[in-house]
Structures are given as structure tokens and as C-alpha cells.
Amino acid sequence: MVAKGLITGVSLVLALLVFSAAGVGTASAQAPGLKKGFYKKSCPRAEDIAREVVWARVAGNRELAAKFLRMFFHDCFVRGCDASVLLDSPTNTAEKDAPPNLSLAGFDVIDEVKAALERACPGVVSCADIVALAARDSVSFQYKRNLWEVETGRRDGTVSSDQEALADIPAPTSTFDILLSDFSSKGLGLQDLVVLSGAHTIGVGNCNLFSSRLFNFTGKNNPSDIDPALNPSYARFLQGQCRRNLQDPNDNTTVVPMDPGSSLSFDNHYFVNLKAHQGMFTSDATLLTNGRAANIVDKLQDPGVFFDAFKNSIKRMGQIGVLTGANGQIRKKCNVVN
């Protein structure tokens, strides 16, 4: 899920890597202009309205939780959390037109939330905040309580580039050093990288993004040659699911749950699976190749530690490059600039 650049802040990474007595934890900075309850006076029911719409839609489609979580991540990693991922382009050159974003979904629900908020409080609530709230509310639906706090006060961007999305969104084939560089370039640390990877506990993965690990891995024309980092039984399961990709490596329609048996439940199973070498993507498996990252994976197998760490890391992610105050705009419609 990042930008391609050199690691510029080892000290930042180390500063963010703080372990509490209870497990994993980091201090959280406040982004200027963001605060809890930003709309308390200007639109008192803003968060209630957003939650009501999202929960009603998620009740009929539990897969939306993974889709909104991914949308939030992909928005924040390109130009910051400014809802630029929602913008349409007449020339198909917006972020949503970039290959990593072609499988995004849920835009209609965002539009539904926006319409409801415009009826209640015209021109007040940003699309960027709606994306952040939709991610939290959709994931929280199964627990019927907020799993993390969302600071609001973001404003919307006016620029959206497919090339920036292609450069900044981390690839599922990324190695550990590339991922760490990507996260560091966004002001996030090693812990955030590992914790936020836990979002792969819900949703599905396209076979064409990991089938190179399953068939002819070393390039010696042996179809049964698999990535040795994969649990053999898990690899056989994936091979069975992704058999079409053996004939057509470009098939982008076949998908597999990232957490088989629990792909609709937001929990810490991702880290249990990862320790069993059942991480679907190279970007998952690579977390075990670094000692410090592997230690964090161990701690996050405790559900309490994971939930506590996740709410801190996603709060930090939601602060990336935000537009506040007089910057940006409050779009009337989320898919077009005013």
C-alpha cells in the first residue's frame, strides 16, 4: 500500500518504534488543524449521519469494510488524506485510473454520505473526512462501537494524478527495504508498517498480484516451483484457487480471501497466519525477514495489543499531508472540484 524514494529518516523510524510494557505502542503527534469533534458546532450530527449511511450499506455488504479501509490508505499515500482518490478525470488520468486503484470500490456509498451531509449542513463536511469516517465506521460495524478515534477538519484537494498514484502506492511485490522507505517518506515508522499491514486480515487479493510466488517461482520452467517463504500447504491451496493464472498470468478477475475463513472479520488473525508463513503477498512475507519487524509481528498476535496499536497507527496515517484551515476546499460533490 507507498512512494518510491530513499530512506531519509532512520532517526524518525527509531523514534516511532517505542514499545510499551503492554506490548507495542508509539506516541502520537497531532496534525495542526485536525481535532476530535471538529464539526461539533458547524454540523453536530455529521459523524452520526455518516455512520448511519455506512452501517446501513455494510449491513448488506460486509465486503465494504475492506474496500473503505483500502480506499483510505490509497488516498492518504498520494498527496495526503485529501480525497484526491475520489476525483474523476475526463482523460482518465486521475488517481482512480491508476492500475493499483482500478479495483477500488465503494465510491457510490461515499457519494451517498456526502449527499446526506449536504442536505443537513451544506458546504461544511469535507470528502476527505468522509473517507476517513467511512473507513472507521465500516470496520467498526461488526463490533457496533468505534474501534478508533477519527480526528476531523481535513479539506479537499484539487489535484489528482494517476502517475503519482502509481509512484506512491506500495506494491504487493515490495521488499522490506522498499516498504520501510515508502512508509518513512510519509512520516510513518517501522511499527506503523507492520501494524497497518494487519489490515490484510479482511478483504481479498487478486491472483495476478501474487501468482508469481506459486508457479515457476525461480523461472526454471517448473510450474510447481513455489516461493520457499510460503507454507507448502497454503501454497497448494493458493495454486488451486489461482490455477487460471498459470494459463493467463494477466487474469485480474480471480480473487482469494487474504485471511481464509475469517476474511470478513477484522481481527489479529493476519499476524497468526503470517507467523505460519501464510502471508499472501511478497509485501506480507517480507515482514518476517527483518528482526525488529518480526518481533512486532510476535507481539501483535495478542488481540489486545493489535487493536491498541492499530488505532494509533491509523490515526497517524490519517494525518499524512492533510489540508486544513484555508487550504483546499470543501467539495460540493466528491468526484469533481468546485
Side-chain angles (χ1 to χ4, degrees):
M1 298 181 250
V2 203
K4 312 306 173 220
L6 296 176
I7 298 177
T8 57
V10 174
S11 60
L12 170 66
V13 172
L14 294 177
L16 286 171
L17 186 60
V18 180
F19 293 89
S20 68
V24 185
T26 62
S28 181
Q30 178 97 14
L34 293 187
K35 67 177 183 178
K36 183 179 179 180
F38 178 86
Y39 299 108
K40 187 174 183 180
K41 294 182 179 179
S42 60
C43 190
R45 293 201 68 248
E47 294 194 27
D48 292 336
I49 291 170
R51 182 176 61 250
E52 288 164 7
V53 173
V54 171
W55 279 19
R57 293 296 292 268
V58 174
N61 181 5
R62 292 286 298 279
E63 294 180 358
L64 282 171
K67 297 183 186 303
F68 284 132
L69 197 54
R70 186 165 177 253
M71 180 187 292
F72 186 36
F73 183 95
H74 283 209
D75 182 43
C76 290
F77 266 72
V78 187
R79 305 189 73 86
C81 312
D82 66 347
S84 53
V85 74
L86 303 179
L87 289 172
D88 289 334
S89 164
T91 56
N92 297 321
T93 55
E95 288 175 33
K96 63 169 59 173
D97 300 307
N101 286 333
L102 293 178
S103 56
L104 290 181
F107 296 110
D108 58 326
V109 183
I110 298 294
D111 290 341
E112 188 178 340
V113 175
K114 179 62 173 174
L117 287 168
E118 285 296 303
R119 288 192 294 270
C121 315
V124 173
V125 182
S126 70
C127 299
D129 279 341
I130 292 173
V131 172
L133 291 168
R136 190 270 307 278
D137 294 340
S138 59
V139 173
S140 298
F141 173 76
Q142 75 177 94
Y143 294 98
K144 299 299 188 290
R145 62 178 176 83
N146 291 338
L147 292 185
W148 64 86
E149 174 188 298
V150 173
E151 296 172 327
T152 45
R154 299 168 187 79
R155 290 170 67 86
D156 301 323
T158 58
V159 176
S160 187
S161 163
D162 59 341
Q163 294 304 306
E164 289 185 4
L166 196 57
D168 286 357
I169 295 171
T173 54
S174 296
T175 62
F176 179 80
D177 288 343
I178 290 174
L179 289 174
L180 189 59
S181 172
D182 287 345
F183 274 65
S184 178
S185 73
K186 302 301 179 185
L188 300 176
L190 172 62
Q191 177 180 310
D192 299 309
L193 163 59
V194 180
V195 171
L196 292 173
S197 295
H200 285 178
T201 190
I202 53 175
V204 297
N206 288 73
C207 283
N208 65 317
L209 298 179
F210 61 86
S211 61
S212 62
R213 305 182 70 199
L214 306 176
F215 309 111
N216 194 26
F217 177 69
T218 58
K220 297 179 180 179
N221 295 318
N222 179 1
S224 62
D225 186 16
I226 66 169
D227 182 348
L230 275 172
N231 177 301
S233 62
Y234 180 60
R236 287 192 294 272
F237 163 75
L238 293 178
Q239 284 178 328
Q241 300 295 307
C242 299
R243 187 63 62 182
R244 281 182 60 185
N245 284 83
L246 183 57
Q247 282 74 43
D248 179 11
N250 296 316
D251 168 44
N252 62 359
T253 60
T254 308
V255 297
V256 184
M258 289 190 285
D259 185 357
S262 181
S263 64
L264 296 177
S265 179
F266 188 80
D267 50 40
N268 70 318
H269 288 173
Y270 168 83
F271 299 101
V272 177
N273 291 340
L274 194 57
K275 283 294 289 185
H277 298 281
Q278 295 178 168
M280 177 175 284
F281 301 113
T282 298
S283 58
D284 296 318
T286 197
L287 298 179
L288 297 181
T289 65
N290 175 271
R292 291 180 299 159
N295 285 338
I296 298 174
V297 170
D298 287 341
K299 292 178 171 62
L300 294 173
Q301 291 181 85
D302 181 309
V305 173
F306 167 63
F307 281 107
D308 194 48
F310 192 85
K311 70 181 182 183
N312 291 327
S313 286
I314 199 164
K315 182 178 178 181
R316 279 190 291 277
M317 188 187 81
Q319 298 169 346
I320 297 174
V322 293
L323 300 171
T324 59
N327 297 317
Q329 60 181 219
I330 305 297
R331 291 190 217 135
K332 295 183 177 69
K333 291 187 175 181
C334 289
N335 65 325
V336 293
V337 299
N338 293 343

